[in-house]
Amino acid sequence: MAGRKKRAGNPSPGPSGGPGAPSPTLLVRGGWILSMAPGGFQGHGDILVREGRIQEIGPDLPRPPGASLLDASGAAVLPGLVQAHLHLCQTLFRGLAEEMELLPWLQTRILPLEAAHDEKSIAASARLALTELLLSGTTAVQTMETVHHTQVVLEVLEEAGVTAVTGGCLIDQGEGTPPSMILPAGRALEAQLSLAREWNGKRSGRVEAALCPRFALSCSEGLLRECAAASREKGLRLHTHAAENKEEIRKVREITGLSDIAFLDGAGILGPATSLAHCVHVSPEDRARLRDRGVHVVTCPSANLKLASGIAPAAEYLDQGINLALGADGAPCNNRLDPWRETRLLSLLQKVLAGPAALPPGKALETATLGGARALGREKEIGALEKGKRADMVVVDLEAPWLGPGGSPETRLVFAAGPAEVRHLVLGGKTVVRDGKFLLWDPAEAAARAREELKKLLSRAKLPS
Ligand SMILES: [Zn+2]
């Protein structure tokens, strides 16, 4: 196994494919390839990348003259992981909202903290999140941001080079919500449509604005209907929370007479462009609704445990043919944005619900790659290693002492690997992590900036740390 890991210090371009212009040709050599493509390549081999796309996968590929080289010996090579439910704007609030259930967690801590963001603090929060996400193997994200300053998050996502579906959340009502976050439905929607006009299909084409009604209790039926109509007319993704917590569901029923899922369905929100985060407490009738509408369910195991919400029936969703994706949710309900912990917990928790054979490691990895790509509507571009797809891939050591010596690559990855085993990360052919070292910016500086901005934010919020 190659010598490794120096994460501190200033970033410097690596000898091959460092940041800047993508290396025109890159050979990832000698890894155990898990392509995740149905019927795709699996086994020892190499991957040749040209102009940011996968050109060839197979054993013993010749190194073209001038091609950069990434050593994958003793490691697995898999598509970059996709996290389909995150809040980058909340990363500054890690550790600041402990021991609470969802509604008090939101009303007493998270919403007041979000309301206190300014452009600088939100940029620091997004950069801190992306530092962790990229270092841990995540190359694509679907995120829900706060009401204001969302443009700044899109800029940081574009700079990082990840594939992203994101939007500011839409709120036009709700107990315990700071008044500055509540906008009339028309204004809330127009702010997001304007981002979509500016970003979708523009610049790199990787960063896309979506419509993100926060959750049923934050939105009037009118706002939800307008979101659903705008999504259909303009081809925009929809991303919201649903059926996370029993008290939330009780309140929705008290107000609307319906379950969360039935209320969202009645407003036209459920469809194949929609991702619903959580879906922990869902009746059999509502599960059938999710399946019939072609909704993507994004499960967030750590967040559901930490906020004492429950365990989502993820294996059942898969059995029903519902697309399942994975996300770490926000730093204050996790407290990591680490996809490996989520993948492991996803599999382990389903074993408690459905027996030891439930959600085996290969399925968990599929959820964290292809499942996420489908939830973002980007499965033709990312989520699997196939000829012509974007060269987003992660190389993960398989031979660390705590990973082996036996067991399949899938078992090692899902039950034993973590961010420390991420050796290289390639984004569209550009190496952004090499031998564990982050090449985009200085992680220590991102952390220092986050500390500084948090201090100022807490004084604006008039909340204790
Ligand atoms: Zn969330």
Side-chain angles (χ1 to χ4, degrees):
M1 188 77 8
R4 324 242 336 261
K5 309 273 157 182
K6 280 192 191 136
R7 286 204 173 142
N10 291 323
S12 58
S16 45
S23 168
T25 312
L26 172 73
L27 184 67
V28 181
R29 181 184 271 173
W32 181 270
I33 296 167
L34 291 168
S35 73
M36 305 312 297
F41 186 87
Q42 180 147 327
H44 271 292
D46 307 330
I47 299 182
L48 181 65
V49 175
R50 270 191 210 276
E51 306 297 339
R53 295 198 172 261
I54 296 171
Q55 192 180 55
E56 211 176 336
I57 304 180
D60 304 318
L61 299 181
R63 181 182 182 180
S68 309
L69 194 67
L70 272 183
D71 171 33
S73 56
V77 184
L78 60 159
L81 303 181
V82 183
Q83 295 209 49
H85 183 67
L86 294 163
H87 303 263
L88 306 191
C89 68
Q90 292 177 7
T91 315
L92 282 195
F93 317 147
R94 194 191 322 262
L96 300 188
E98 305 296 287
E99 281 88 43
M100 279 184 264
E101 282 205 18
L102 177 69
L103 297 179
W105 178 87
L106 269 173
Q107 291 163 3
T108 68
R109 302 296 291 180
I110 300 305
L111 295 176
L113 287 165
E114 284 190 17
H117 260 309
D118 64 12
E119 290 193 355
K120 282 188 174 173
S121 61
I122 215 161
S125 194
R127 281 170 84 82
L128 187 67
L130 282 158
T131 307
E132 182 180 7
L133 289 165
L134 290 165
L135 275 167
S136 59
T138 305
T139 56
V141 297
Q142 178 164 253
T143 89
M144 180 188 292
E145 302 308 322
T146 190
V147 174
H148 303 291
H149 318 300
T150 307
Q151 169 78 18
V152 175
V153 178
L154 280 98
E155 300 281 358
V156 178
L157 287 162
E158 177 83 355
E159 180 194 351
V162 295
T163 296
V165 174
T166 186
C169 66
L170 295 120
I171 299 178
D172 71 341
Q173 62 178 34
E175 189 189 339
T177 306
S180 66
M181 295 182 78
I182 299 177
L183 301 180
R187 240 182 89 200
L189 187 60
E190 180 45 39
Q192 301 309 314
L193 292 178
S194 136
L195 282 178
R197 283 192 296 272
E198 187 181 337
W199 283 86
N200 295 6
K202 313 271 173 65
R203 307 200 195 191
S204 68
R206 288 188 307 265
V207 177
E208 172 184 344
L211 298 174
C212 306
R214 185 122 190 174
F215 73 141
L217 293 174
S218 291
C219 302
S220 66
E221 191 176 341
L223 173 58
L224 292 172
R225 284 187 184 284
E226 284 187 44
C227 284
S231 160
R232 281 192 300 272
E233 278 163 28
K234 300 175 193 305
L236 301 176
R237 310 296 297 176
L238 276 168
H239 176 199
T240 188
H241 300 95
E244 178 175 0
N245 166 282
K246 284 185 179 164
E247 179 61 7
E248 164 215 350
I249 293 165
R250 192 192 65 72
K251 288 201 169 185
V252 173
R253 193 173 286 283
E254 188 180 279
I255 296 165
T256 68
L258 298 168
S259 69
D260 266 37
I261 302 293
F263 173 59
L264 293 173
D265 193 25
I269 288 288
L270 305 190
T274 303
S275 290
L276 295 185
H278 304 304
C279 298
V280 176
H281 306 288
V282 179
S283 68
E285 188 190 353
D286 281 344
R287 289 180 203 183
R289 251 186 248 271
L290 297 179
R291 181 199 60 214
D292 294 346
R293 300 283 184 263
V295 164
H296 309 272
V297 170
V298 188
T299 189
C300 305
S302 295
N304 296 157
L305 293 179
K306 186 154 187 259
L307 300 184
S309 301
I311 302 175
E316 273 190 42
Y317 291 140
L318 283 173
D319 288 346
Q320 283 181 275
I322 294 170
N323 182 50
L324 186 73
L326 197 63
D329 205 347
C333 61
N334 191 306
N335 292 1
R336 291 292 304 268
L337 304 179
D338 165 8
W340 303 102
R341 290 179 199 218
E342 298 312 310
T343 312
R344 173 181 153 90
L345 265 185
L346 167 67
S347 182
L348 294 182
L349 289 173
Q350 295 310 301
K351 295 177 189 311
V352 173
L353 289 187
L359 231 146
K363 263 291 170 220
L365 285 177
E366 188 183 321
T367 301
T369 53
L370 259 185
R374 290 188 194 113
L376 271 63
R378 298 281 183 130
E379 68 273 24
K380 291 193 176 120
E381 272 285 291
I382 59 168
L385 300 177
E386 284 182 294
K387 193 172 170 174
K389 283 199 168 161
R390 190 173 135 87
D392 287 355
M393 55 187 118
V394 58
V395 178
V396 189
D397 283 348
L398 289 175
E399 292 180 357
W402 43 91
L403 298 183
S408 70
E410 291 90 337
T411 286
R412 295 183 192 207
L413 290 169
V414 169
F415 294 129
E421 281 72 63
V422 172
R423 190 192 296 177
H424 311 306
L425 186 87
V426 176
L427 264 185
K430 180 169 133 180
T431 306
V432 303
V433 177
R434 187 182 176 89
D435 291 321
K437 185 172 176 179
F438 193 54
L439 304 176
L440 276 185
W441 54 68
D442 181 357
E445 194 187 315
R449 179 73 54 85
R451 281 194 295 275
E452 242 171 68
E453 290 300 332
L454 174 63
K455 250 187 249 163
K456 295 186 217 158
L457 183 143
L458 287 173
S459 103
R460 290 195 295 273
K462 298 183 175 48
L463 284 170
S465 61

